[in-house]
Amino acid sequence: MTPSSAYSFLSHLECSRTGERYDADVLQGTSAAGAPLLARYDLDRVRATVTREDIAGRAPTLWRYHEVLPVRDEDRVVSLGEGMTPLLPMPAYARRAGLDRLLMKDESLVPTGTFKARGAAVGVSRAAELGVKGVAMPTNGNAGAAWALYAARAGMSSLIAMPQDAPPITMAECQIAGAELYRVDGLIGDAGRLVGAALGERPGYQEVSTLKEPYRLEGKKTMGYEIAEQLGWRMPDVILYPTGGGVGIIGIHKALLEMRELGWVDGEPPRLVAVQAAGCAPIVEAFEKGARESTPFPDARTAAFGITVPKPLGDFLVLEAIRATGGTAIAVTDEELLAAQAELAALEGAFVCPEGAACFAALEPLRASGRIGPGEEVVILNTGSGVKYPETVRVDAPLLAGDDQIPGRG
Ligand SMILES: Cc1ncc(COP(=O)(O)O)c(C=O)c1O
């Protein structure tokens, strides 16, 4: 397929630090400056070719935005039906938080139960199109599970290394997908070093660590496109995002800029808020210091395991997204996020992952400090299903024998 394909209007890749251009039709990792590469599209051509009405008539998956996705040949798309997740009103929790309008973008409904399926679908599809035979990555669990399963669907191999404390279900997902799986006594950075060393002996494999290849980000940016489309092509006042490696928040910011250039949305951009756990908050620290980059967060640990990233490669892009939109960064404790998780399930029937719960916990301090006003429309990204983290809930129901009776209520 040539670059003039009508399925994707991908034009080139660009270094996120220097702006240097790279060929998008050969396999690329990071730029010569060691920074993430960003996919760029011929947006004039997209504007002239596609309307928002055209998109409305397409299938409800993230591939409805295919002109601004990197896969050139539609036949190369590897899909399990990901995308177009619900944007649900949370009225009871909104009242409790003193807000008029609170919506939750619920990523628990995508294949593999977390938003990681978006990055995996687009990343694996493009890697296969470029001739990659296997993908290798360190992960906090959910991304590895998604990439292993999508790689299996693409007929590709995968090598996944994750901390031994990662959610056990994510190990099971990798194993059942046939991945070469390693558990590591350490954190995601240690897993990354092991993967880097193993790659030397696996020709045809690509390293697909967070932001070390350009296309995972493209899958994740579709959350931004969907929020706008689901709101009738406008943006909310504020978006809260549980931030680890930061791919989601960088992606939503990228989507916002693209949509404005396309003329698909106008007006003020939403303020982007990076929510982190107090046990691993490098972005919050850097934001508060006014720094352009983070410093490695010591002794990182939180129940919101997916956001345990002590030094994200794309920290400067996360900080840029927050500052450019007038947003902020905030940390909540594990106690607060687990309490919010339980309260949300009881109030709204939504069993969210601890990472998503961190955003609900952040509402109260954000409201109390005036960083969110009562009349503002707030969207929270619930990045995954609580069902993937059964260990966050201690079941204390009474155990009865078959001939016991359930006690009366009087
Ligand atoms: C459930 C969940 N939420 C959020 C994140 C953070 O993702 P990002 O890299 O977009 O910051 C992760 C990453 O592992 C995750 O698994």
Side-chain angles (χ1 to χ4, degrees), residues 38-289:
L38 302 176
R40 296 298 184 208
Y41 300 83
D42 182 348
L43 294 181
D44 291 337
R45 196 169 151 225
V46 177
R47 197 183 309 105
T49 315
V50 195
T51 64
R52 296 176 296 188
E53 290 69 34
D54 294 332
I55 290 171
R58 294 178 177 171
T61 73
L62 60 78
W63 299 100
R64 66 204 275 113
Y65 310 109
H66 59 79
E67 287 89 352
V68 286
L69 292 174
V71 179
R72 295 213 185 271
D73 180 352
E74 185 174 3
D75 293 340
R76 302 312 296 255
V77 166
V78 180
S79 177
L80 291 164
E82 55 290 326
M84 277 316 257
T85 53
L87 188 61
L88 299 167
M90 295 282 131
Y93 204 93
R95 272 193 296 283
R96 181 204 161 285
L99 280 170
D100 289 347
R101 192 158 154 79
L102 174 64
L103 298 161
M104 176 174 85
K105 176 86 173 142
D106 193 7
E107 293 291 298
S108 63
L109 281 108
V110 286
T112 77
T114 75
F115 76 122
K116 298 284 182 182
R118 292 180 187 266
V122 175
V124 163
S125 298
R126 183 65 177 150
E129 187 170 57
L130 291 172
V132 169
K133 298 286 173 261
V135 287
M137 73 190 314
T139 171
N140 274 334
N142 288 321
W147 281 75
L149 284 154
Y150 277 85
R153 187 157 174 85
M156 241 186 223
S157 306
S158 60
L159 184 160
I160 313 286
M162 66 175 78
Q164 61 177 344
D165 293 335
I169 184 65
T170 62
M171 298 174 193
E173 289 173 280
C174 292
Q175 188 165 313
I176 203 156
E180 187 184 343
L181 172 68
Y182 297 95
R183 289 174 286 178
V184 178
D185 183 9
L187 292 178
I188 189 165
D190 304 296
R193 274 183 289 282
L194 292 170
V195 169
L199 272 166
E201 289 168 26
R202 285 166 180 75
Y205 273 60
Q206 185 191 14
E207 180 176 5
V208 294
S209 313
T210 303
L211 294 170
K212 287 197 177 168
E213 60 74 49
Y215 301 120
R216 185 201 300 206
L217 179 63
E218 296 305 288
K220 292 196 176 179
K221 82 177 178 190
T222 57
M223 292 186 288
Y225 278 87
E226 287 179 22
I227 291 171
E229 187 181 354
Q230 289 170 317
L231 289 174
W233 294 105
R234 61 171 185 81
M235 294 302 276
D237 297 305
V238 184
I239 297 179
L240 269 60
Y241 188 86
T243 304
V247 189
I249 197 165
I250 299 166
I252 291 172
H253 187 225
K254 185 171 189 286
L256 192 72
L257 298 176
E258 288 174 1
M259 286 188 290
R260 287 179 76 178
E261 207 174 323
L262 287 166
W264 289 0
V265 293
D266 43 33
E268 285 299 299
R271 307 197 300 283
L272 298 179
V273 179
V275 179
Q276 298 205 294
C280 183
I283 297 292
V284 179
E285 266 193 10
F287 180 76
E288 287 174 354
K289 280 196 295 205

